[in-house]
């Protein structure tokens, strides 16, 4: 048995450390979705204005996205474990502040602090995995579990939040973070290694400010476009962000110690994987806008019931992650990416057939297929991005991967949301029942929820006709956005198949590595004596 291969294998300590890292990822992801369940309760208690309510919802995501690159680079310099533990402490403190907030301003500030702390956790956990798991297949499995943790947190947020709100006040949805962060602070120093760049150079403070302003400007502009439609104001925010981002990239090219290594993009594997990561998240997050509305408004489910129905779509994602991890050494990562994208396209094709008479089984079954495919894709591309960077730049590479996903999600909500809104309004206008006043029609065209509320104020016959027309318009909106997602991911699959096609030398090297790993495993399992 090869001694070098044996030493590369992770032990119990590394896998236990991974469990701690994944648990913290679950919370970071969960905090992005748990607030939606608590909104009615905290709104009644704190009475925020409409503007304050938007900032309560968005402050976390804005700061998380804006600081990912900065925190990833900072971890490379001061130590990834140190940054992780510092972020865990900050996350716990901010969670307590959010739970005991007595005014909208305090809650906004606490949510911003949670986002800043969350930005330290995401790249730190992924870059530590790069240093804890040196065996290629074990690292791929670890990245897959990390991916599943983020997906699981998004699904568990509404469910855990709904369960807590059945018995406690709205602040309890934040306090659930504290015990896990305390566990991380206790077990982190015992289970997680420390790693930093041995020659980090000076930290680029100006670059950190530029990256924050650029990301915030673009993300805020995209969100404004999603909420209010395309206009000069959202375009101005995006344009300003792009200009500042251009300045940031130029600075990274000319300074001695850049925050991100732009030379990584010269690698086709890295660049295509980054784009694939962003567009897969674009489709997944963008279409999620419609699923809860369909279940609650069209199928008549309550918030907790719809969250429970959504759970299977996330529980099956580890199936895709596991399949991708097993298949990658055998058929190659590019082929796994293509297969995963093809599976998700099949799911979106099924969603493109949905109608008002479709039950929850149609929706959940199709979404489960999408989740299996996207889960495999994201697990593989994350591993490719991480392994493309040298160990001392793993924090920066992790941050770029997370930033691509954040941009993809924000852009998916804006673009698919805008397409869906246009389809809904046009379809309802053409098919609305007679007898509605211009004000009633205008209100009903705003959102599906507004149409349902308007229908409730009308006589029974007119109200039912408006409700059915709105349901038909909404399901047409879902069909068209599902078709757009399918077409987009088909294009991505073609690009991956062409640009990342393995050469004969790469195929031979992969097969040799897989054969060597299998031999090592067999030898390790032989009885001693």
């Amino acid at each position: 048995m090869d001694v070098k291969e044996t030493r590369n294998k992770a032990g119990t300590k590394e896998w236990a450390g991974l469990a701690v890292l994944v648990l913290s990822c679950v919370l970071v992801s969960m905090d992005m979705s748990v607030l939606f369940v608590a909104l009615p309760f905290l709104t009644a208690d704190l009475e925020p204005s409409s503007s304050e309510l938007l900032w309560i919802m968005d402050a976390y995501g804005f700061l998380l996205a804006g600081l990912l690159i900065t925190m990833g680079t900072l971890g490379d310099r001061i130590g990834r474990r140190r940054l992780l533990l510092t972020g865990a402490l900050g996350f716990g403190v901010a969670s307590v502040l959010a739970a005991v907030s007595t005014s909208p301003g305090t809650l906004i500030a606490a949510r911003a602090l949670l986002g800043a702390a969350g930005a330290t956790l995401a790249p730190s956990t992924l870059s530590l995995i790069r240093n804890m798991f040196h065996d290629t297949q074990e690292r791929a499995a670890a990245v897959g579990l990390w991916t599943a943790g983020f997906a699981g947190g998004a699904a568990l947020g509404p469910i855990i939040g709904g369960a807590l709100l059945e018995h406690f006040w709205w602040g309890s949805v934040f306090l659930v973070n504290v015990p896990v962060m305390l566990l991380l602070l206790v077990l982190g120093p015992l289970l997680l290694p420390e790693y930093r760049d041995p020659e980090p150079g000076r930290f680029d403070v100006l670059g950190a400010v530029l990256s924050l302003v650029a990301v915030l400007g673009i993300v805020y502009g995209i969100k404004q476009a999603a909420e209010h439609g395309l206009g000069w104001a959202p375009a101005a925010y995006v344009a300003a962000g792009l200009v500042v981002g251009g300045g940031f990239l130029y600075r990274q090219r000319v300074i001695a110690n850049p925050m991100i290594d732009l030379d990584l993009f010269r690698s086709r594997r890295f660049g295509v994987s980054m784009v694939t990561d962003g567009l897969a998240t674009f489709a997944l997050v963008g279409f999620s806008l419609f699923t809860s509305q369909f279940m609650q408004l069209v199928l008549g489910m309550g918030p907790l019931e719809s969250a429970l129905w959504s759970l299977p779509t996330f529980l099956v994602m580890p199936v895709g992650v596991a399949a991708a991890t097993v298949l990658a050494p055998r058929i190659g990562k590019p082929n796994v990416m293509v297969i995963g994208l093809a599976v998700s396209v099949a799911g979106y094709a099924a969603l493109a057939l949905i109608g008002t008479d479709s039950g929850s089984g149609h929706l959940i079954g199709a979404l489960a297929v999408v989740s299996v495919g996207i889960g495999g894709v994201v697990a593989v591309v994350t591993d490719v991005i991480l392994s493309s960077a040298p160990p001392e730049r793993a924090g920066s590479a992790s941050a770029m991967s997370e930033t691509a996903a954040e941009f993809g999600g924000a852009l998916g909500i804006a673009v698919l949301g805008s397409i869906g809104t246009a389809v809904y309004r046009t379809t309802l206008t053409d098919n609305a029942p007679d007898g509605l006043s211009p004000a009633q029609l205008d209100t009903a065209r705003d959102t599906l929820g507004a149409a349902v509320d308007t229908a409730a104020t009308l006589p029974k016959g007119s109200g039912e006709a408006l409700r059915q027309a709105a349901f038909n318009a909404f399901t047409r909106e879902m069909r068209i956005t599902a078709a757009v997602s399918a077409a987009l991911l088909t294009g991505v699959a073609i690009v991956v198949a062409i640009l990342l096609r393995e050469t004969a030398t790469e195929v031979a090297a992969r097969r040799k590595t897989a054969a060597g790993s299998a031999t090592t495993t067999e030898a390790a399992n032989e009885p001693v004596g």
Side-chain angles (χ1 to χ4, degrees):
M1 180 170 54
D2 193 325
V3 175
K4 183 178 179 180
E5 286 287 344
T6 304
R7 288 176 179 172
N8 282 339
K9 294 290 184 180
T12 303
K13 180 179 179 180
E14 284 77 17
W15 289 107
L18 176 65
V20 175
L21 293 178
V22 170
L23 190 58
S24 64
C25 291
V26 169
L27 286 184
V28 172
S29 180
M30 195 173 76
D31 252 51
M32 299 186 74
S33 59
V34 71
L35 189 66
F36 293 112
V37 182
L39 275 179
F41 300 90
L42 69 86
T43 300
D45 188 19
L46 301 182
E47 298 181 348
S49 65
S50 58
S51 175
E52 289 172 332
L53 188 60
L54 286 176
W55 280 109
I56 288 171
M57 291 189 292
D58 290 338
Y60 180 82
F62 283 172
L63 269 292
L64 180 68
L67 290 173
L68 279 170
I69 292 176
T70 297
M71 294 304 181
T73 306
L74 186 62
D76 288 338
R77 283 163 166 74
I78 70 171
R80 292 160 191 165
R81 185 180 69 184
R82 176 184 294 180
L83 182 67
L84 176 69
L85 297 179
T86 303
L89 178 61
F91 205 86
V93 172
S95 297
V96 174
L97 290 176
V100 300
S101 294
T102 57
S103 68
T106 305
L107 184 55
I108 292 169
R111 289 281 290 170
L113 288 175
L114 279 168
T120 70
L121 298 176
S124 295
T125 53
L126 191 53
S127 56
L128 280 170
I129 288 173
R130 174 70 173 85
N131 300 118
M132 292 164 63
F133 296 90
H134 303 284
D135 178 81
T136 303
Q137 293 187 38
E138 288 187 338
R139 185 174 64 242
V143 170
L145 291 170
W146 180 90
T147 303
F150 265 102
L156 288 173
I159 296 171
I160 292 177
L164 288 171
L165 291 170
E166 290 287 335
H167 306 284
F168 305 104
W169 93 114
W170 59 264
S172 61
V173 302
F174 298 109
L175 289 182
V176 72
N177 300 329
V178 176
V180 177
M181 290 301 139
L182 289 175
L183 185 67
L184 179 57
L185 288 171
V186 172
L187 296 181
L190 301 176
L191 298 175
L192 304 176
E194 182 59 285
Y195 191 92
R196 62 174 62 87
D197 186 345
E199 299 177 359
R202 294 182 59 185
F203 181 71
D204 183 16
V205 177
L206 178 57
V209 174
L210 290 175
S211 71
L212 175 63
V213 173
V215 172
L216 287 182
I218 295 171
V219 172
Y220 183 72
I222 290 172
K223 283 184 174 289
Q224 287 293 300
E227 292 170 6
H228 306 295
L230 298 177
W232 286 109
Y237 281 115
V238 172
L242 290 173
V243 170
V244 176
F248 169 75
L249 293 176
Y250 175 77
R251 180 173 175 80
Q252 299 310 293
R253 178 64 68 186
V254 300
I255 63 174
N257 302 111
M259 294 179 65
I260 61 174
D261 185 1
L262 295 180
D263 289 337
L264 288 173
F265 287 94
R266 294 182 178 178
S267 165
R268 185 177 291 179
R269 292 173 70 246
F270 184 88
V272 173
S273 295
M274 285 281 288
V275 172
T276 302
D277 191 15
L279 292 180
T281 309
F282 172 102
L284 184 66
V285 175
F287 194 81
S288 68
L289 277 171
F290 312 109
T291 56
S292 60
Q293 293 185 73
F294 181 83
M295 286 189 287
Q296 292 183 33
L297 296 175
V298 178
L299 300 183
M301 296 182 183
L304 183 56
E305 184 184 4
S306 65
L308 289 171
W309 268 101
S310 300
L311 188 58
T313 65
F314 292 93
L315 291 178
V316 299
M317 185 172 282
V319 174
V321 171
T325 302
V326 171
L327 290 174
R330 291 168 170 78
I331 66 174
K333 293 176 181 177
N335 290 328
V336 172
M337 291 163 64
V338 171
I339 292 172
L341 289 166
V343 170
S344 63
V345 167
Y348 281 115
L351 288 169
L353 301 175
I354 203 163
T356 55
D357 56 346
S358 300
S360 55
H362 183 159
L363 178 69
I364 300 304
L367 287 174
V369 174
V370 170
S371 294
V372 170
I374 295 294
V377 171
V378 173
V380 171
V381 298
T382 303
D383 184 47
V384 170
I385 292 169
L386 201 58
S387 59
S388 298
E392 65 273 10
R393 304 293 290 178
S396 175
S398 303
M400 285 191 280
S401 173
E402 285 297 295
T403 302
E406 287 290 331
F407 270 122
L411 197 60
I413 290 173
V415 174
L416 293 183
S418 298
I419 292 173
T421 298
V423 171
Y424 172 79
R425 288 176 175 173
T426 301
T427 305
L428 184 58
T429 300
D430 293 340
N431 297 279
D434 296 330
L436 296 180
S437 69
Q440 289 171 331
L441 179 59
D442 191 54
T443 300
R445 290 175 65 250
D446 193 25
T447 64
L448 178 60
V452 171
D453 290 341
T454 301
T457 66
L458 299 175
K460 185 176 181 180
S462 300
E464 182 58 33
L466 174 59
R467 188 180 296 106
Q468 192 58 46
F471 289 168
N472 288 333
F474 185 77
T475 50
R476 183 167 184 262
E477 170 185 359
M478 291 180 69
R479 290 194 295 272
I480 290 177
T481 52
V484 170
S485 299
L488 175 68
L489 294 185
T490 298
V492 175
I494 293 171
V495 170
V496 170
I498 294 173
L499 295 184
L500 297 188
R501 182 179 180 182
E502 290 183 312
T503 63
T505 303
E506 290 172 332
V507 171
R510 169 172 53 75
R511 289 174 176 172
K512 182 178 179 180
T513 300
S517 179
T519 302
T520 301
T521 302
E522 290 175 5
N525 291 332
E526 290 179 359
V528 178

